[in-house]
Amino acid sequence: MEFFKKYLLPGFVFQSVVIGGGYATGRELVEFFFSIGPLGGVLGLLMSGLVFGLVLAAGFEFARVTQAYDYRHFCRALLGRGWVIFEIAFIVLLLLILSVIGSAAGELTSVSFGVPSVVGTLVLMALIALLTFSGSEAIKKVLAAWSFLLYFVYAALLLLAFLKFGDAISGVFSAIAVGDGWIKSGVLYSGYNLAVLPAVLFAVKGQKSRRESVGSGLMAGAIAVVPAVLFFVAMMALYPEIGTAPVPASMLMAALEMPVLSFLFQVVVFGTFVETGTALLHAVNERLDASFTEMGREMPQFARPLVAVGILAVAIIAGTYFGIIDLIASGYGFLTLVFIAVLVVPLLTIGVWRAIKGEAKNA
C-alpha cells in the first residue's frame, strides 16, 4: 500500500487530469499526431511519455524540497514575481480545457444516450461539485480507482479493434512512412499537458525522499501515456477518415458495433471528464485556500463546490460559441509554447538546481 501511495498514485492522478483534455475524445491526438502518420504518432506519444517523466520527476522533487504543494506557492518558489504569468496562462488553459470537456460531455451523452446535451453538462457539473466538496483524500481515491477501470477498457478497445480491423491497422502502419517532426510533436503535446503539473501536487505531499519523488515522476510519465498509445493504435482502424470526426472516439465505437463495449467506453470517457475537471478545479480551490491561510482565515468548505461550478459554468458558456475542433486547434498551440517557456524550461534548469541545492542544505 505504501508503494502504491508513494510511487503509483501520483501517476494515476496525473493521468486522470491529463486524459480529459489530452486524449479522451481522440480529437487532441488527431491535432498533434495525425500529420506524422501512424508510426510517427506512436513515436511522438512515447516521446511525450519520456518528457512527462523527466519533468514530473523534477517537479515532484522541487515540490518536496520547497514544501510547495499548491500551484501558487509552487510557481512563486520557481518563478518569483513571474509566477503571475503562469497563473494567467493557467486560468486561460483551465477555461479552455473545461470548455472542451463540457462540450464533449454534452455531445457524448446526446449521441450515446439520445438525451439533450444539456443533461450531460448538468450531470458533469453535479459530479464535479460533489467531488470538490469531498476533499483531497476522496478525490485521490476516486481518480485512482477510475484509472484502473480506464486501463481495462482501453486495453479491451485495442484488442477488439485488432480482432475486427486487424488487417486495416497493420496495413496503415506498414504502408505509411514515419512523418517528419515526431519528436517536435511529442514535445509540444507534453508541453501543454504538463501545465497541469501543479494541479496534482496534492498527491505527493507524503513523499519523504528524492527516490520517492523522482521515482514516482518517472513512473507517472509511463502511466499517463500508455492509454493514449492504446487508443491511438485502435484509431488507426479508420485512418484517415477518423481525423475529421469531432469526437473520434464515438466514430470508432460506432464502427466496432459492440453496444456493451460502446456503453462502457462512453461511461468511462464521461468519467474522465469528471476526473479532469475535478482535479483542475481542486487546484484552484487549493490555491484559494492557501490565500485564506495567509490571511489567517479558513476557506469555507461549502465555497469549494460553488467555486468549481461557477468556473465550469463560465467555461461551458464560452465554449458554446465555438466548436470542439476550433477550441482545440486554436487554443492549445499557443498555450503549449507559453507553458514550455514559463514552466518546463525553468523547472528543468532553475528547479533542478534549487532542488539539488536544497537537498544538500538539508542533508
Side-chain angles (χ1 to χ4, degrees), residues 86-353:
F86 174 88
E87 177 153 64
I88 293 171
F90 182 80
I91 291 172
V92 173
L93 181 69
L94 173 73
L95 293 174
L96 177 59
I97 292 178
L98 292 177
S99 296
V100 169
I101 65 175
S103 299
E107 184 168 351
L108 185 67
T109 52
S110 178
V111 171
S112 302
F113 308 112
V115 298
S117 59
V118 68
V119 173
T121 302
L122 291 175
V123 171
L124 178 74
M125 295 174 73
L127 291 174
I128 288 176
L130 176 63
L131 282 174
T132 52
F133 179 77
S134 300
S136 296
E137 290 304 313
I139 291 173
K140 285 190 284 188
K141 291 177 181 178
V142 170
L143 266 55
W146 201 261
S147 291
F148 282 108
L149 177 61
L150 180 143
Y151 261 76
F152 170 78
V153 171
Y154 272 69
L157 173 64
L158 178 63
L159 175 62
L160 294 171
F162 262 104
L163 290 175
K164 186 165 186 175
F165 300 109
D167 291 340
I169 295 173
S170 300
V172 297
F173 272 98
S174 59
I176 301 174
V178 177
D180 294 332
W182 59 268
I183 294 177
K184 177 182 176 182
S185 295
V187 171
L188 290 177
Y189 179 74
S190 60
Y192 97 83
N193 277 303
L194 281 166
V196 305
L197 186 161
V200 305
L201 294 177
F202 71 95
V204 299
K205 283 186 177 181
Q207 294 178 340
K208 303 297 183 182
S209 69
R210 176 171 296 169
R211 180 179 180 180
E212 292 173 355
S213 56
V214 173
S216 64
L218 294 175
M219 290 182 184
I223 290 171
V225 83
V226 167
V229 173
L230 298 178
F231 188 23
F232 184 82
V233 173
M235 287 170 60
M236 294 304 101
L238 303 177
Y239 182 89
E241 293 83 3
I242 197 170
T244 62
V247 183
S250 297
M251 182 177 180
L252 180 59
M253 288 297 104
L256 287 173
E257 298 179 326
M258 298 192 67
V260 175
L261 176 66
S262 179
F263 175 80
L264 184 57
F265 185 83
Q266 309 296 9
V267 171
V268 167
V269 168
F270 191 91
T272 66
F273 298 149
V274 177
E275 287 184 305
T276 295
T278 298
L280 290 173
L281 291 166
H282 181 64
V284 175
N285 279 325
E286 290 292 280
R287 182 255 189 268
L288 294 174
D289 184 57
S291 296
F292 271 89
T293 300
E294 289 181 355
M295 294 185 293
R297 300 167 59 189
E298 184 176 350
M299 182 178 178
Q301 189 69 13
F302 71 84
R304 289 177 174 268
L306 294 180
V307 169
V309 171
I311 295 174
L312 182 58
V314 170
I316 291 174
I317 292 171
T320 58
Y321 295 97
F322 306 96
I324 186 171
I325 294 177
D326 292 335
L327 279 171
I328 295 171
S330 63
Y332 284 166
F334 174 72
L335 286 173
T336 294
L337 300 178
V338 172
F339 284 114
I340 288 176
V342 302
L343 181 65
V344 176
V345 173
L347 190 53
L348 292 179
T349 53
I350 299 170
V352 170
W353 177 76

